[in-house]
Amino acid sequence: MQRSVSRASRTGRRRSALAAAVSGLAVIVTYALAVTTPSATATAAAAGCGTANVALNRPATASSVENSRLSAANAVDGSATTRWSSAFSDPQWLQVDLGASTDVCEVVLTWQTSYAKAFQIQVSPDGAGNWSSLYSTATGSGGTQTIPVSGTGRFLRVYGTTRATGYGYSIFELVVHGGSTPTTPPPTTGPPIPGGGDLGSNVIVFDPSMSSSSIQSKLDQVFATQETNQFGTQRYALLFKPGSYTGLNAQLGFYTSIAGLGQNPADVRINGDVTVDAGWMAGNATQNFWRSAENMSITPVSGRDRWAVAQAAPFRRMDVHGGMTLASPNCGWASGGYIADSRISGTVSPCSQQQWYTRDSQVGGWNGGVWNVVFSGVAGAPANTFPTPPYTVVPKTPVSREKPYLYTDSSGAYRVFVPSLRTNSSGVTWAAGNTAGTSLPLTQFYVAHPGDSAATINSALAQGLNLLFTPGVYHVGQTINVTRPDTVVLGLGFATLIADNGVTAMNVADVNGVKVAGLLFDAGTTRSPSLLQVGQSGANANHAASPISLHDVFLRVGGAGPAAVTNALVVNSNNTIIDHIWAWRADHGAGAGWTTNPSDTGLVVNGADVTALGLFVEHFQKYNVIWNGNGGRTIFFQNELPYDPPSAAAWSHDGITGYAAYKVANAVTSHEAWGLGSYCVFTADPSIAAYHSFEVPVNPNVRFHDVLTVSLGKGSITHVINDTGDAAVPSSVTPHNVISYP
């Protein structure tokens, strides 16, 4: 929720920007530097000080932000007109990662009128509490302060303890001058952190020498724990070594991944089933979230495998010798789903699935669909017939990269395979042999376990290691900074990162080729500006030849407890590939409520030429998706508008009732999207009539194909896209379609 603050009264103070003092919140500005103790006097240090701003455009985080426009990144973007502003309380901090141990000799602070009366400037080697003070005052005057200091650290912060006004702390720019230039990769401050290691007790490994009964017993034990464990903390990865297995039925519950450890799906052969059903909800599969199957061959006992799932349940690199059913036996409600790089020899029957996306796969046939069934690069896909049947078919996927995965080599050693980039692709990557790509030994990964600190993880990343999260829940009280090109960050078993203390859980620098896969980001109780940020604000590098990619990245606000974040995912880097995400502001579970899990937006895209393949974004309080960059493409979008606006008046802006699910900014001149659906069920006030679900510029180069809205029985949506399309009303739960726009 936005605070109601007099904009007129704030505007006057803002105009005196560079001469004003910081507001009363305690502010900590933390810059990543690796600390040693302060040495010579500050005056002597300043005398030989460099002029380069070593903080410019470095990853910045803060204890809080007043709103999404006043982010921490604004304080290090080199602009005198943008600023960071904190919440209206003490203490507060702003932190940036300079990326290396740096000799700091001068700090220049330009305050807005809300300045700090009492604050410190501190440095730290790890940003995890080992702070040394370089400067302290209780008589801060605001304006522009040039402060000579002397010390060495990777992190530097301005730590405010007393505000000068009743507002928060607000800084236009924080400039840091150093006596040396950081290097990449930054030096470590302790002994080298080893790569590789044990995968932990939540990774359960099976091999063909084990009896079928012992394997089945363990599978059943995990399922009994996880079948209804929707918001629990247990996480599991069930891994099968290469070979054949017979007579198994692996039923998957919450936070459970099953995967083969061969290099290709045929290396692990299960004569049996990998099953997701919804017996726990009497056949209703709409809450079968957070589970996955990957990289194995299965021959179902009945000839058909059952995968009755909802969101965040990917089915990847699977070779099914038979057909598939995507719903429970009673064809109860279902709301999935996603298949990629898989081959199903038989027919796929969605039954009651509201929507589904299949990418770069091969199917023996497809039988039906409810509202929105999308294919891209799928051999055997039906003809494009939207809306009857509701098939949208894109013959080739314009750009893609498959998710990295864990496997064992011929010696039994663990490795991570990183598939190559593909353009204009169709079919599976492994049909003619090994998938193209690069194999990395596990010794090149820091293997993280629950309880590892963000400081340790950052040190491992700074050392040049990749990162593998074993299954579990990780509390992140300091931003994890991924700064090296081509870094692989891979989670097993729905490893979960909780953003504590209002931090952004992970920042990815604007560098080539980073891959982030298999993680669940969870908002904490203190509002964060974002959960995952890709590229700093204003990022402008061209990554077309080696894009950053996100695979099976899930972002959650509430459900496990009260939570808050402004924007769940922010993508600033150009050419980023978003390969299957679900950003979810919880509509049920602990902490689900208009004021108890506030969050504005699920996805903000600022980068150019960003491609989204399988975009699930639901229930955010303002625009669910905001697309500001040119050249964007989305293939498949699923959305529910928020259930819980208390009234139309409380959920209106600029004279319009409601916020669109998918907003393309007015300044965008090129964008294209295929197969998009948005639904409403306004449980708190069924009289709400949202104006439209899709809001886009009227431009021949902004094109939408096969777009629909549905009322699920409470509330209505007056138009589909802009002023086009008829009303989705509660008396008829049917889709209202626009085949082409404009």
Side-chain angles (χ1 to χ4, degrees):
M1 296 283 289
Q2 294 292 309
R3 282 178 292 274
S4 177
V5 179
S6 168
R7 296 297 174 192
S9 64
R10 301 292 317 263
T11 300
R13 286 189 298 278
R14 289 169 182 160
R15 287 174 178 165
S16 56
L18 299 179
V22 161
S23 76
L25 286 178
V27 179
I28 304 170
V29 178
T30 309
Y31 279 74
L33 314 163
V35 159
T36 62
T37 55
S39 52
T41 67
T43 302
C49 207
T51 58
N53 179 9
V54 296
L56 182 64
N57 289 327
R58 294 300 305 169
T61 56
S63 53
S64 66
V65 293
E66 181 183 347
N67 60 54
S68 60
R69 298 186 306 276
L70 303 175
S71 68
N74 292 348
V76 292
D77 64 0
S79 171
T81 61
T82 61
R83 63 189 175 96
W84 163 72
S85 184
S86 75
F88 300 176
S89 62
D90 292 312
Q92 300 289 332
W93 54 264
L94 170 69
Q95 174 174 318
V96 109
D97 182 356
L98 301 181
S101 181
T102 302
D103 296 328
V104 181
C105 49
E106 186 175 77
V107 173
V108 181
L109 290 170
T110 302
W111 298 100
Q112 194 253 5
T113 51
S114 300
Y115 66 96
K117 184 176 181 181
F119 69 96
Q120 297 181 40
I121 297 173
Q122 302 169 324
V123 286
S124 167
D126 54 15
N130 301 312
W131 295 103
S132 299
S133 181
L134 306 185
Y135 172 82
S136 179
T137 183
T139 58
S141 58
T144 298
Q145 295 180 265
T146 300
I147 304 168
V149 295
S150 180
T152 305
R154 176 172 173 170
F155 293 83
L156 178 148
R157 74 181 182 186
V158 177
Y159 177 59
T161 52
T162 305
R163 290 167 292 148
T165 75
Y167 296 96
Y169 296 94
S170 188
I171 294 176
F172 278 103
E173 198 67 16
L174 187 150
V175 173
V176 178
H177 293 146
S180 62
T181 302
T183 58
T184 302
T188 57
T189 58
I193 296 174
D198 183 71
L199 297 180
S201 60
N202 296 326
V203 173
I204 301 169
V205 180
F206 304 104
D207 69 69
S209 69
M210 301 171 65
S211 69
S212 295
S213 60
S214 65
I215 296 173
Q216 189 65 56
S217 176
K218 190 63 178 179
L219 294 173
D220 292 345
Q221 178 187 339
V222 172
F223 180 64
T225 301
Q226 299 301 97
E227 181 181 14
T228 63
N229 195 18
Q230 185 170 182
F231 297 110
T233 58
Q234 292 80 7
R235 306 284 187 271
Y236 293 97
L238 309 174
L239 306 183
F240 286 75
K241 290 184 177 181
S244 295
Y245 302 80
T246 301
L248 300 179
N249 181 18
Q251 299 185 81
L252 302 184
F254 289 99
Y255 312 111
T256 305
S257 296
I258 188 169
L261 286 171
Q263 184 164 357
N264 294 306
D267 296 334
V268 174
R269 300 170 298 280
I270 293 183
N271 296 297
D273 295 88
V274 173
T275 302
V276 177
D277 206 339
W280 73 286
M281 282 189 68
N284 180 346
T286 59
Q287 293 183 31
N288 277 356
F289 313 135
W290 305 305
R291 62 203 74 197
S292 67
E294 182 175 23
N295 198 35
M296 55 174 54
S297 168
I298 59 175
T299 303
V301 171
S302 69
R304 303 189 67 79
D305 196 61
R306 187 173 303 282
W307 190 253
V309 298
Q311 292 83 2
F315 195 82
R316 289 183 179 269
R317 289 182 64 83
M318 296 291 285
D319 192 5
V320 180
H321 298 273
M324 288 186 70
T325 298
L326 305 180
S328 291
N330 65 353
C331 222
W333 293 342
S335 184
Y338 179 83
I339 294 172
D341 201 21
S342 293
R343 181 172 62 191
I344 299 100
S345 66
T347 298
V348 180
S349 299
C351 195
S352 55
Q353 280 287 353
Q354 297 169 355
Q355 67 280 317
W356 198 273
Y357 177 43
T358 305
R359 178 183 62 74
D360 292 331
S361 294
Q362 179 178 332
V363 298
W366 195 279
N367 182 24
V370 178
W371 297 327
N372 186 30
V373 180
V374 180
F375 307 85
S376 71
V378 177
N384 193 109
T385 54
F386 184 89
T388 308
Y391 300 150
T392 297
V393 180
V394 180
K396 294 183 182 295
T397 304
V399 61
S400 64
R401 179 191 285 134
E402 299 302 332
K403 172 184 171 289
Y405 60 92
L406 185 72
Y407 77 106
T408 55
D409 63 18
S410 58
S411 71
Y414 286 115
R415 303 180 71 88
V416 172
F417 194 83
V418 185
S420 297
L421 185 71
R422 297 207 295 171
T423 57
N424 296 317
S425 59
S426 64
V428 299
T429 61
W430 42 269
N434 292 342
T435 297
T438 303
S439 179
L440 303 174
L442 193 64
T443 53
Q444 292 184 12
F445 287 75
Y446 177 69
V447 178
H449 297 83
D452 287 357
S453 70
T456 298
I457 291 169
N458 277 331
S459 294
L461 289 168
Q463 186 178 297
L465 291 172
N466 300 292
L467 182 56
L468 185 143
F469 286 95
T470 62
V473 176
Y474 298 75
H475 282 270
V476 179
Q478 171 191 331
T479 298
I480 295 170
N481 292 305
V482 182
T483 60
R484 180 177 60 85
D486 299 314
T487 299
V488 177
V489 179
L490 177 63
L492 301 181
F494 292 86
T496 302
L497 309 185
I498 300 178
D500 289 337
N501 306 324
V503 304
T504 293
M506 184 177 291
N507 273 334
V508 176
D510 186 38
V511 296
N512 277 345
V514 174
K515 298 93 182 169
V516 179
L519 291 174
L520 170 58
F521 291 86
D522 221 345
T525 55
T526 300
R527 190 176 187 120
S528 297
S530 60
L531 297 177
L532 172 62
Q533 179 173 303
V534 178
Q536 74 275 11
S537 178
N540 59 11
N542 185 328
H543 303 291
S546 183
I548 297 167
S549 55
L550 311 178
H551 313 267
D552 299 345
V553 168
F554 309 123
L555 308 110
R556 182 171 68 186
V557 188
V565 64
T566 301
N567 303 310
L569 171 60
V570 177
V571 175
N572 294 316
S573 290
N574 298 334
N575 312 106
T576 299
I577 299 171
I578 302 171
D579 173 30
H580 187 221
I581 69 164
W582 184 38
W584 184 61
R585 176 181 165 265
D587 60 280
H588 64 273
W594 192 250
T595 60
T596 51
N597 64 331
S599 187
D600 289 356
T601 301
L603 170 65
V604 178
V605 177
N606 296 317
D609 302 314
V610 171
T611 299
L613 306 169
L615 197 56
F616 300 74
V617 186
E618 298 190 290
H619 307 146
F620 289 85
Q621 292 174 308
K622 294 187 176 179
Y623 296 115
N624 277 254
V625 172
I626 301 174
W627 209 294
N628 295 315
N630 273 312
R633 293 175 293 199
T634 293
I635 302 177
F636 182 88
F637 172 70
Q638 183 265 330
N639 164 264
E640 283 183 344
L641 296 170
Y643 288 11
D644 52 346
S647 65
W651 194 54
S652 295
H653 69 104
D654 301 323
I656 296 174
T657 298
Y659 288 81
Y662 193 108
K663 162 71 173 176
V664 179
N666 296 341
V668 169
T669 57
S670 60
H671 189 91
E672 193 161 14
W674 296 261
L676 303 93
S678 174
Y679 322 136
C680 75
V681 51
F682 298 128
T683 55
D685 182 0
S687 71
I688 292 175
Y691 189 72
H692 49 213
S693 280
F694 300 91
E695 183 178 321
V696 307
V698 180
N699 184 307
N701 294 317
V702 177
R703 300 187 294 269
F704 279 67
H705 313 276
D706 302 351
V707 190
L708 65 106
T709 57
V710 180
S711 170
L712 300 177
K714 292 182 183 292
S716 61
I717 305 170
T718 304
H719 297 291
V720 178
I721 182 167
N722 291 349
D723 300 324
T724 299
D726 59 356
V729 295
S731 59
S732 178
V733 183
T734 57
H736 297 260
N737 306 301
V738 172
I739 295 174
S740 181
Y741 186 90

